[in-house]
Amino acid sequence: DTGVSQNPRHKITKRGQNVTFRCDPISEHNRLYWYRQTLGQGPEFLTYFQNEAQLEKSRLLSDRFSAERPKGSFSTLEIQRTEQGDSAMYLCASSLGGIAYEQYFGPGTRLTVT
Amino acid sequence: AQSVSQHNHHVILSEAASLELGCNYSYGGTVNLFWYVQYPGQHLQLLLKYFSGDPLVKGIKGFEAEFIKSKFSFNLRKPSVQWSDTAEYFCAVNEDSGYSTLTFGKGTMLLVSP
């Protein structure tokens, strides 16, 4: 399968713990996006990379959230000191450069904070 | 900031009925418009997109959408739905002059009864 992959698919954690998610984009895609989706809502943009540079961050991305994309390949999203409000589906997408290109989404990581 | 509104959160149709899902956006500049679909248990995938040119765009599986600039609308249509069209449909927009991050509507859940 050459699509976008995300790991883990599900994560249950206790409040206050740190969690890290991984996204592997389609190999030739230089753009990578993170979105968050809660029940009854559409995906909301979190952050965006072009190659290894993080070019945009949403104000939704509090100080507890950090994302990296070392070497412009896979990306990680870390949430520190998780809160119950962080429970959501975290989606990763990738695309070729330029606005005209389709974003391909991964299956998501469902986070449940107890 | 741009926003996207989808008129119906839930739509129930019988097979062979015609479908129209409303989408309006708020942004005064040039935008690119998308419809994504999420079938049960699957990830988001692109149905169709509009960047420029003919405002009537055709996508996969017999779907089409019409961009009406004066109404800030991008409604999705299908003349005859099938049971397999049961899914959640998301309208999304990005600014032509900005980064390619997408702003999504809240989605419309379509249930097609056989």
Side-chain angles (χ1 to χ4, degrees):
Chain A
D1 187 347
T2 56
V4 178
S5 61
Q6 293 187 245
N7 287 289
R9 296 290 304 275
H10 303 272
K11 178 71 176 178
I12 300 174
T13 191
K14 292 184 187 297
R15 190 176 56 184
Q17 298 295 305
N18 299 344
V19 294
T20 300
F21 311 139
R22 177 179 170 125
C23 170
D24 287 89
I26 294 171
S27 58
E28 62 267 29
H29 287 182
N30 61 347
R31 295 190 173 192
L32 187 146
Y33 313 80
W34 285 98
Y35 293 86
R36 180 172 67 186
Q37 186 176 17
T38 53
L39 202 61
Q41 302 292 322
E44 295 174 294
F45 166 71
L46 291 179
T47 190
Y48 153 62
F49 291 85
Q50 180 156 317
N51 300 312
E52 66 275 11
Q54 189 174 17
L55 295 186
E56 191 178 3
K57 291 194 290 187
S58 164
R59 61 180 183 276
L60 290 176
L61 212 65
S62 77
D63 292 345
R64 297 183 297 105
F65 288 68
S66 63
E68 294 182 338
R69 193 182 182 199
K71 303 178 184 177
S73 56
F74 71 92
S75 175
T76 58
L77 178 68
E78 181 183 16
I79 309 175
Q80 296 182 324
R81 305 181 303 280
T82 52
E83 301 172 356
Q84 286 188 320
D86 297 331
S87 295
M89 178 74 85
Y90 290 84
L91 298 170
C92 177
S94 70
S95 75
L96 293 168
I99 286 176
Y101 291 101
E102 171 186 352
Q103 292 184 28
Y104 293 81
F105 282 81
T109 295
R110 181 167 295 285
L111 172 66
T112 302
V113 181
T114 61
Chain B
Q2 53 189 261
S3 65
V4 177
S5 61
Q6 292 184 237
H7 306 161
N8 306 98
H9 292 304
H10 294 91
V11 172
I12 301 174
L13 294 173
S14 299
E15 273 194 318
S18 64
L19 169 72
E20 182 160 2
L21 301 182
C23 172
N24 287 88
Y25 66 93
S26 67
Y27 180 68
T30 304
V31 295
N32 306 301
L33 297 150
F34 307 79
W35 276 97
Y36 277 83
V37 62
Q38 188 165 24
Y39 297 103
Q42 297 187 26
H43 55 270
L44 279 165
Q45 54 188 286
L46 185 69
L47 261 184
L48 48 79
K49 62 184 180 184
Y50 172 81
F51 285 91
S52 63
D54 188 344
L56 185 63
V57 292
K58 296 190 184 298
I60 60 172
K61 305 187 180 185
F63 286 91
E64 64 178 32
E66 185 176 12
F67 171 49
I68 302 179
K69 189 174 181 179
S70 61
K71 295 185 178 180
F72 297 89
S73 70
F74 190 56
N75 291 355
L76 181 71
R77 300 194 292 249
K78 187 172 183 179
S80 175
V81 294
Q82 301 173 314
W83 176 78
S84 58
D85 293 324
T86 293
E88 191 157 21
Y89 293 81
F90 294 93
C91 182
V93 61
N94 66 18
E95 299 172 32
D96 196 51
S97 60
Y99 294 120
S100 48
T101 58
L102 294 169
T103 299
F104 284 85
K106 291 187 177 184
T108 298
M109 185 65 221
L110 171 66
L111 178 62
V112 180
S113 57

